[in-house]
Amino acid sequence: MKDANTSSKTFRRVVLLCLFVFFLASAGAFPADEMTSTIVIGNSRIDVVVEQGSLQVSKEELLRWVQWAAESVSAYYGHFPIPHVLLRIIPADGKGVRNGRTFGEKGGFITIHVGSNTTSQDLGTDWMLTHEMVHLAFPSVADNHHWIEEGIATYVEPIARVRAKHMDATEMWFELVRDLHQGLPAAGDKGLDHTHTWGRTYWGGALFCFLADIEIHQKTANRKGLDDALRGILAAGGDIRQDWPLEKALDTGDQATGVPVLRPLYEKMKDQPYDVDLPAIWTELGVERADGKVRFLDTAPLSQTRVAITYGSVAPGSAAASPISILAGDTAMNFPKR
Ligand SMILES: [Zn+2]
């Protein structure tokens, strides 16, 4: 989730595509003492503070988790979204990652809870920290448009992890097919701007993103996608530290792709239900769900669009799709990729 406020600090463009990660870990004992580390990723800096408390996972495992999330967001946007973010990791009872919140104040900061029994494997499959970091890459908009903020974070997060090779594409599509129907309008729906349920906020917003992604690809012969629109918004200074009218963000995105998709789709979805035939779309994209998994049909009419949505216009294996991590400092570590 996201809480935003405005800061007037200047947004600095990050030009490096490769990721340079530098850890400065405190020498204090862990987990009894609070730990502060700094991760430098491209031209951006992530200050990681782990509050006092008991955790099963090690300092190295926590930092790898942060690194993977930062790599995922950077793979999608071409660089980490803002120059500096403070990440507070708060140990909690139980197991797993929860209660992520992202703010535009103080140049950008994130708080997130990690259960004391959380394992390294739990961190390796976590989506929430990537979701929070995606929030950094879009301006704050009025409360009735909260669905666009959560929708982008919900839709982009698994694609970003696939592009950084931290998630399988089959798993990403399986979960999208499994979950996206929760964003469809129910009886009495009054459109995305006026129906503030959990389903319409998170998955209704994701549905908007998904439909826009397909349409941008269709109108550009798969040369552009939602990623180009969102990068264009970020390049224009539209990050979480800024308050923008939603229309400005959508128009900026449409200018970046050269095709009017976001604004017209918003006009159709903002104050009316706008029902969608999702099974027909899965068939067109060549995504077939069976026996607890999905398989891809390359003969489907939009199979190339499915590939472009998954990997972007940048071929897998290039610098942007496969960030290089160089680790240095007194806690130099090298993390194998999944
Ligand atoms: Zn969120």
Side-chain angles (χ1 to χ4, degrees):
M1 67 179 289
K2 204 206 82 172
D3 290 271
N5 252 317
T6 306
S7 163
S8 61
K9 286 182 184 168
T10 308
F11 175 73
R12 287 184 284 136
R13 289 289 304 274
V14 177
V15 293
L16 294 176
L17 283 179
C18 73
L19 308 180
F20 186 76
V21 182
F22 183 57
F23 293 130
L24 291 168
S26 72
F30 182 81
D33 295 345
E34 188 172 90
M35 182 193 80
T36 303
S37 299
T38 295
I39 298 177
V40 177
I41 181 164
N43 284 357
S44 298
R45 172 183 171 132
I46 305 170
D47 288 326
V48 184
V49 175
V50 184
E51 294 190 351
Q52 288 190 22
S54 175
L55 285 175
Q56 183 178 318
V57 288
S58 68
K59 169 180 66 182
E60 289 79 10
E61 287 165 336
L62 280 176
L63 291 176
R64 179 178 64 181
W65 168 55
V66 177
Q67 181 203 345
W68 279 17
E71 283 179 353
S72 298
V73 175
S74 300
Y76 191 87
Y77 287 95
H79 56 80
F80 196 75
I82 59 174
H84 174 257
V85 66
L86 172 65
L87 170 63
R88 294 196 74 86
I89 297 171
I90 303 161
D93 291 337
K95 192 172 188 291
V97 179
R98 55 186 179 270
N99 296 338
R101 298 181 75 186
T102 303
F103 306 82
E105 299 153 337
K106 301 174 185 173
F109 78 96
I110 295 171
T111 61
I112 198 160
H113 290 67
V114 175
S116 56
N117 297 327
T118 303
T119 64
S120 177
Q121 188 178 7
D122 294 332
L123 295 181
T125 56
D126 168 65
W127 57 268
M128 190 174 283
L129 186 55
T130 304
H131 173 109
E132 299 306 326
M133 288 184 180
V134 172
H135 277 312
L136 301 172
F138 194 79
S140 298
V141 294
D143 286 349
N144 61 322
H145 311 310
H146 195 46
W147 58 268
I148 190 76
E149 297 170 343
E150 295 304 340
I152 289 170
T154 301
Y155 179 71
V156 166
E157 162 262 308
I159 297 175
R161 290 200 287 144
V162 168
R163 292 189 187 185
K165 297 183 169 58
H166 295 315
M167 186 181 195
D168 291 332
T170 50
E171 189 184 357
M172 184 275 275
W173 282 100
F174 174 82
E175 292 182 1
L176 192 65
V177 173
R178 182 192 65 194
D179 295 332
L180 191 56
H181 68 91
Q182 298 173 95
L184 293 171
D189 190 279
K190 293 180 167 58
L192 291 172
D193 276 353
H194 309 284
T195 311
H196 305 302
T197 59
W198 175 85
R200 285 292 265 170
T201 301
Y202 284 78
W203 289 104
L207 180 65
F208 173 88
C209 294
F210 176 61
L211 296 174
D213 211 357
I214 293 171
E215 193 176 344
I216 295 167
H217 280 99
Q218 286 186 303
K219 287 187 168 168
T220 62
N222 291 323
R223 286 192 294 272
K224 301 279 186 185
L226 181 68
D227 48 3
D228 294 288
L230 296 178
R231 287 176 197 161
I233 294 165
L234 185 59
D239 63 56
I240 192 171
R241 300 167 300 167
Q242 311 299 324
D243 283 316
W244 278 21
L246 177 59
E247 290 83 355
K248 177 182 175 182
L250 300 178
D251 290 346
T252 303
D254 282 341
Q255 284 161 15
T257 60
V259 288
V261 170
L262 295 174
R263 185 68 178 269
L265 186 60
Y266 169 61
E267 298 298 334
K268 286 185 266 190
M269 295 182 77
K270 68 178 182 179
D271 53 16
Q272 56 191 334
Y274 195 74
D275 206 0
V276 176
D277 185 355
L278 281 179
I281 296 177
W282 305 132
T283 300
E284 280 197 273
L285 289 169
V287 182
E288 193 176 85
R289 185 183 174 190
D291 302 327
K293 49 190 167 186
V294 291
R295 68 186 188 108
F296 301 132
L297 303 174
D298 291 337
T299 53
L302 297 184
S303 64
Q304 287 304 308
T305 296
R306 183 194 71 239
V307 173
I309 285 173
T310 311
Y311 299 107
S313 55
V314 181
S318 74
S322 181
I324 301 162
S325 300
I326 303 166
L327 307 161
D330 61 356
T331 57
M333 294 169 282
N334 207 351
F335 299 126
K337 298 215 167 174
R338 279 198 298 171

